[in-house]
């Protein structure tokens, strides 16, 4: 079984804090070991020199037949065995060992083939000095690590706050708010040093401005083209009405009607793109409105199923436009039976065709894009989605498990 780390552990601040803590601990441990080893070697060396000096004096007194100084004895039973063996081998040596609960520095040397002369010096003061040094190193390391981590986390948090602000603006831009900008103060003042976060913020602001300009130009172009087409289309429609009755006339009138519908759709999309649409709210029984939409549709037979009716306060014209486009799309690109279901504030339109294409489920409707040889311009669902957003409703698209496309409109 693989255990995953919590989500907060992946943040930059946590990673930086862990890195700083590990590095501080490693540095403190290294410096502490170096200081401990250096002071211990110095302390032990001084005690060893002192013990060997006293051993030399005791040896001289023993050889001269003088009384031994205090602390010097021949073959003391508490002498460590390894040091005794070294002395019996003819060498002088020193060793720190416990004697009656206290540390003792021993120095021993041979006096003949079977006996050794040993000197013991109290090592308690030196041992306490080393222990005090170790405690000082430990506490100073803890304080230094704590202060360094706090300062490091504070510095990293300032950077991460700016990164979070940049990410929030990026999400707003991806959600359609092209007026969103980071406006990092460092990018406003060229004299200030520019770090990487400021560079990212400046690049994001530049990208948003460029994207906004291009989209506004596209919207203006779409609106201008649609407006310019209305006048000649009106004349073309009037001329088509004057043609004699016949199959060619029906074809011309049908194409002119399709072109007029496309032009009106483009105008509606351009108005939705501006984001300045205003609602005209009124109370409306949802089931009656749905039935009215189905009766006005000329696409085919649509069954209306009412689970729970509800009186909603909405813009009737826009809601009719949304439901009408969903029903028309179900008949044009799906197969019957087509069902419109009303259940409280939720309206579902379902067909039993091949379902929505993958790109639509992943990215939503896209204008002037259809797949699988379907006829149309991809504007019906785009308009339905845009009008739903104006209504404050949520329109989602999915495919049924047993086949067919399902559009679900959830009214506020």
């Amino acid at each position: 079984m693989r255990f995953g780390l919590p989500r907060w552990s992946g943040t930059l601040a946590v990673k930086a804090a862990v890195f700083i803590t590990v590095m501080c601990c490693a540095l403190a441990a290294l410096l502490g070991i170096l200081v401990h080893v250096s002071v211990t070697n110095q302390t032990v060396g001084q005690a060893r020199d002192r013990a060997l000096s006293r051993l030399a004096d005791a040896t001289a007194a023993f050889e001269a037949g003088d009384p031994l100084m205090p602390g010097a004895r021949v073959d003391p039973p508490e002498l460590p065995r390894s040091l005794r063996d070294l002395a019996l081998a003819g060498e002088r040596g020193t060793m720190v060992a416990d004697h009656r609960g206290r540390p003792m520095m021993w120095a021993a040397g041979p006096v003949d083939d079977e006996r050794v002369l040993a000197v013991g010096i109290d090592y308690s003061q030196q041992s306490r000095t080393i222990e005090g040094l170790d405690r000082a190193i430990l506490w100073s390391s803890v304080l230094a690590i704590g202060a360094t981590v706090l300062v490091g986390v504070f510095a990293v948090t300032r950077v991460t706050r700016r990164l979070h602000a940049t990410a929030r603006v990026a999400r707003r831009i991806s959600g359609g708010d092209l007026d969103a900008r980071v406006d990092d103060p460092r990018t406003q003042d060229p004299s200030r040093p520019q770090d990487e976060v400021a560079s990212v913020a400046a690049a994001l602001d530049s990208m948003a401005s460029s994207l906004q300009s291009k989209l506004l130009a596209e919207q203006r172009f779409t609106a201008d083209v649609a407006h310019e087409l209305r006048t000649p289309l009106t004349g073309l429609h009037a001329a088509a009405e004057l043609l004699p009755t016949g199959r060619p006339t029906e074809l011309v009138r049908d194409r002119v009607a399709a072109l007029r519908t496309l032009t009106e759709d483009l105008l509606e999309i351009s108005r939705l793109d501006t984001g300045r649409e205003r609602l005209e709210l009124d109370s409306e029984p949802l089931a009656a409105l749905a039935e009215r939409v189905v009766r006005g549709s000329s696409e085919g037979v649509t069954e209306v199923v009412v689970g729970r009716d509800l009186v909603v306060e909405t813009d009737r014209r826009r809601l009719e436009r949304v439901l009408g486009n969903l029903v028309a799309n179900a008949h044009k690109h799906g197969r019957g039976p087509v069902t419109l279901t009303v259940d409280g504030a939720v309206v579902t339109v379902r067909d039993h065709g091949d379902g929505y294409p993958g790109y639509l489920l992943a990215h939503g409707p896209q204008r002037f894009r259809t797949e699988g040889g379907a006829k149309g311009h991809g504007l019906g669902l785009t308009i339905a989605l845009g009008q739903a957003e104006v209504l404050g409703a949520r329109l989602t698209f999915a495919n049924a498990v047993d086949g067919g496309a399902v559009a679900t409109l959830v009214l506020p």
Side-chain angles (χ1 to χ4, degrees):
M1 180 181 295
R2 182 178 179 180
F3 296 97
L5 295 175
R7 294 180 62 87
W8 56 263
S9 64
T11 61
L12 181 60
V14 173
K15 291 180 178 179
V18 172
F19 175 77
I20 293 173
T21 302
V22 171
M23 293 304 297
C24 287
C25 290
L27 182 60
L30 178 61
L31 293 177
I33 291 173
L34 291 177
V35 172
H36 172 83
V37 171
S38 176
V39 173
T40 300
N41 289 339
Q42 182 180 1
T43 303
V44 172
Q46 292 175 351
R48 179 183 293 112
D49 292 342
R50 181 183 171 195
L52 289 175
S53 176
R54 294 189 63 179
L55 177 63
D57 294 342
T59 302
F62 180 82
E63 291 176 350
D66 297 334
L68 296 178
M69 63 182 66
R73 289 179 293 170
V74 177
D75 285 338
E78 60 270 20
L79 183 66
R81 181 58 180 269
S82 58
L83 185 58
R84 181 187 299 274
D85 294 339
L86 179 66
L88 290 176
E91 300 289 339
R92 289 186 177 186
T94 60
M95 176 179 287
V96 177
D98 287 337
H99 175 57
R100 298 177 181 176
R102 300 174 61 184
M104 183 77 70
M105 170 64 77
W106 291 97
V111 292
D112 53 36
D113 293 339
E114 296 181 356
R115 293 184 302 170
V116 298
L117 179 62
V119 175
I121 298 177
D122 188 9
Y123 193 72
S124 300
Q125 182 63 38
Q126 292 85 342
S127 179
R128 286 193 295 268
T129 300
I130 295 175
E131 291 177 358
L133 175 65
D134 291 342
R135 285 193 297 269
I137 292 174
L138 177 62
W139 284 111
S140 60
S141 299
V142 171
L143 292 177
I145 291 171
T148 305
V149 170
L150 289 178
V151 173
V153 170
F154 173 75
V156 172
T157 302
R158 294 187 62 186
V159 176
T160 55
R161 278 201 300 265
R162 295 168 59 201
L163 289 174
H164 284 307
T166 304
R168 284 194 298 269
V169 172
R171 285 191 290 267
R172 287 173 57 189
I173 293 173
S174 65
D177 184 7
L178 298 182
D179 293 325
R181 297 291 185 274
V182 180
D183 290 332
D184 194 305
R186 289 168 177 78
T187 62
Q188 310 300 323
D189 186 2
S191 63
R192 299 182 64 178
Q194 304 291 307
D195 58 7
E196 289 78 2
V197 180
S199 299
V200 172
L204 180 62
D205 288 347
S206 176
M207 181 199 69
S209 298
S210 176
L211 181 61
Q212 186 177 38
S213 299
K214 291 180 180 179
L215 288 179
L216 289 176
E218 179 186 341
Q219 292 170 8
R220 284 194 298 270
F221 175 77
T222 302
D224 292 343
V225 169
H227 278 292
E228 292 297 327
L229 285 175
R230 294 185 78 177
T231 300
L233 277 175
T234 301
L236 187 60
H237 177 73
E241 293 297 328
L242 298 176
L243 293 175
T245 304
R247 181 58 179 168
T249 299
E250 292 180 0
L251 293 176
V252 171
R253 290 175 179 174
D254 179 67
R255 293 299 90 196
V256 170
L259 192 56
R260 288 187 68 183
T261 301
L262 175 60
T263 303
E264 294 299 327
D265 287 347
L266 289 175
L267 280 172
E268 187 169 359
I269 286 178
S270 66
R271 290 194 298 269
L272 291 172
D273 286 341
T274 62
R276 298 189 180 93
E277 294 287 87
R278 295 293 179 266
L279 294 175
E280 298 178 2
L281 297 178
D282 193 10
S283 297
E284 186 78 21
L286 192 53
L289 186 145
E291 291 174 352
R292 188 164 60 248
V293 169
V294 170
R295 286 197 302 269
S297 175
S298 59
E299 299 297 337
V301 178
T302 303
E303 179 184 3
V304 178
V305 178
V306 180
R308 179 170 59 91
D309 196 6
L310 186 69
V311 176
V312 295
E313 187 175 1
T314 186
D315 189 320
R316 178 180 56 82
R317 180 186 64 83
R318 297 183 189 279
L319 184 54
E320 287 179 349
R321 178 68 160 154
V322 174
L323 297 182
N325 282 14
L326 294 178
V327 171
N329 183 83
H331 283 288
K332 288 181 180 179
H333 303 293
R335 290 190 299 271
V338 176
T339 305
L340 189 153
T341 304
V342 177
D343 187 8
V346 180
V347 182
T348 304
V349 178
R350 179 187 176 179
D351 62 56
H352 289 76
D354 297 329
Y356 292 117
Y359 78 88
L360 191 148
L361 297 177
H363 307 291
Q366 299 180 26
R367 60 193 71 175
F368 298 106
R369 178 174 179 179
T370 56
E371 291 185 355
K375 297 181 180 180
H377 305 92
L379 299 181
L381 294 182
T382 303
I383 292 174
L385 185 61
Q387 294 288 13
E389 291 177 354
V390 174
L391 291 172
R394 181 166 55 91
L395 179 59
T396 57
F397 304 94
N399 289 332
V401 177
D402 55 346
V406 181
T408 303
L409 178 69
V410 181
L411 296 170

